[in-house]
Amino acid sequence: MKLQSKNALIAQTAIIAAMYAALTYAQNLLLPGTTSMAVQFRVSEALNVLALFTPAAIPGLTLGCIISNLYNIGSGLPLDMIFGSLATLGCTLTMYALKNVKIKSYPLLSMLMPAVFNGVIIGWEIECFFIDGPFEFVGFLTQGGLVALGELGVMATLGTALYYIITKRNLNKKLFK
């Protein structure tokens, strides 16, 4: 890899991480709790779309998730920094791998990955660590379903809009050479 492209990848990673963290912090400041509740609509999750255009989004979004979840440590959610970031890593790796799988020019499978990974991992986290009593599969499905619902909402609205803005204006070719 050329030095210039390596530097560009590092810069893209840093910018994506900063955008994710800044959006999450801003949303939490304006609408407290909306970034960490069971049914959350984390605006910054729309940036997962960037994994369809650059591999820099994988570490960038993961790092951004770690940084933004530092806030949650003070709220009693230190595990969210670990499990939320693992969900983001799995989701973005899978999105990048599936980026060319499209249905009528829309990467539907990729766009579902945030809901799948966050629903399963965060649903498990909530059921295991935040619900009193033994693990209950129905509880896991409920918690995971609520998390997935929020992710689906973000990706179906903001994520899809961001995807079409990037592709229709050829920003993918301009920003992620």
Side-chain angles (χ1 to χ4, degrees), residues 47-66:
L47 296 177
N48 282 321
V49 166
L50 299 177
L52 299 172
F53 303 107
T54 177
I58 298 166
L61 291 166
T62 304
L63 182 59
C65 187
I66 291 169

Side-chain angles (χ1 to χ4, degrees), residues 98-110:
L98 295 172
K99 68 182 179 196
N100 294 321
V101 178
K102 296 181 180 170
I103 299 171
K104 294 187 178 183
S105 78
Y106 184 72
L108 179 63
L109 289 176
S110 292

Side-chain angles (χ1 to χ4, degrees), residues 18-89:
M19 287 188 326
Y20 186 98
L23 281 170
T24 305
Y25 280 131
Q27 179 182 346
N28 209 41
L29 184 67
L30 296 171
L31 302 165
T34 59
T35 65
S36 59
M37 299 172 108
V39 179
Q40 55 184 264
F41 192 91
R42 194 180 271 200
V43 171
S44 53
E45 286 291 299
L47 296 177
N48 282 321
V49 166
L50 299 177
L52 299 172
F53 303 107
T54 177
I58 298 166
L61 291 166
T62 304
L63 182 59
C65 187
I66 291 169
I67 293 167
S68 66
N69 282 339
L70 284 172
Y71 172 83
N72 292 335
I73 289 176
S75 305
L77 300 173
L79 294 173
D80 203 39
M81 190 170 81
I82 297 165
F83 293 112
S85 303
L86 286 174
T88 298
L89 177 62

Side-chain angles (χ1 to χ4, degrees), residues 87-155:
T88 298
L89 177 62
C91 144
T92 54
L93 281 167
T94 308
M95 287 181 78
Y96 187 75
L98 295 172
K99 68 182 179 196
N100 294 321
V101 178
K102 296 181 180 170
I103 299 171
K104 294 187 178 183
S105 78
Y106 184 72
L108 179 63
L109 289 176
S110 292
M111 298 296 262
L112 293 174
M113 291 302 110
V116 170
F117 277 87
N118 283 285
V120 170
I121 294 172
I122 304 306
W124 173 83
E125 174 192 359
I126 293 169
E127 183 59 28
C128 285
F129 299 108
F130 299 105
I131 305 294
D132 289 332
F135 180 90
E136 292 183 17
F137 190 69
V138 172
F140 161 71
L141 290 178
T142 302
Q143 299 303 327
L146 292 172
V147 172
L149 186 63
E151 288 289 336
L152 283 173
V154 171
M155 295 308 290

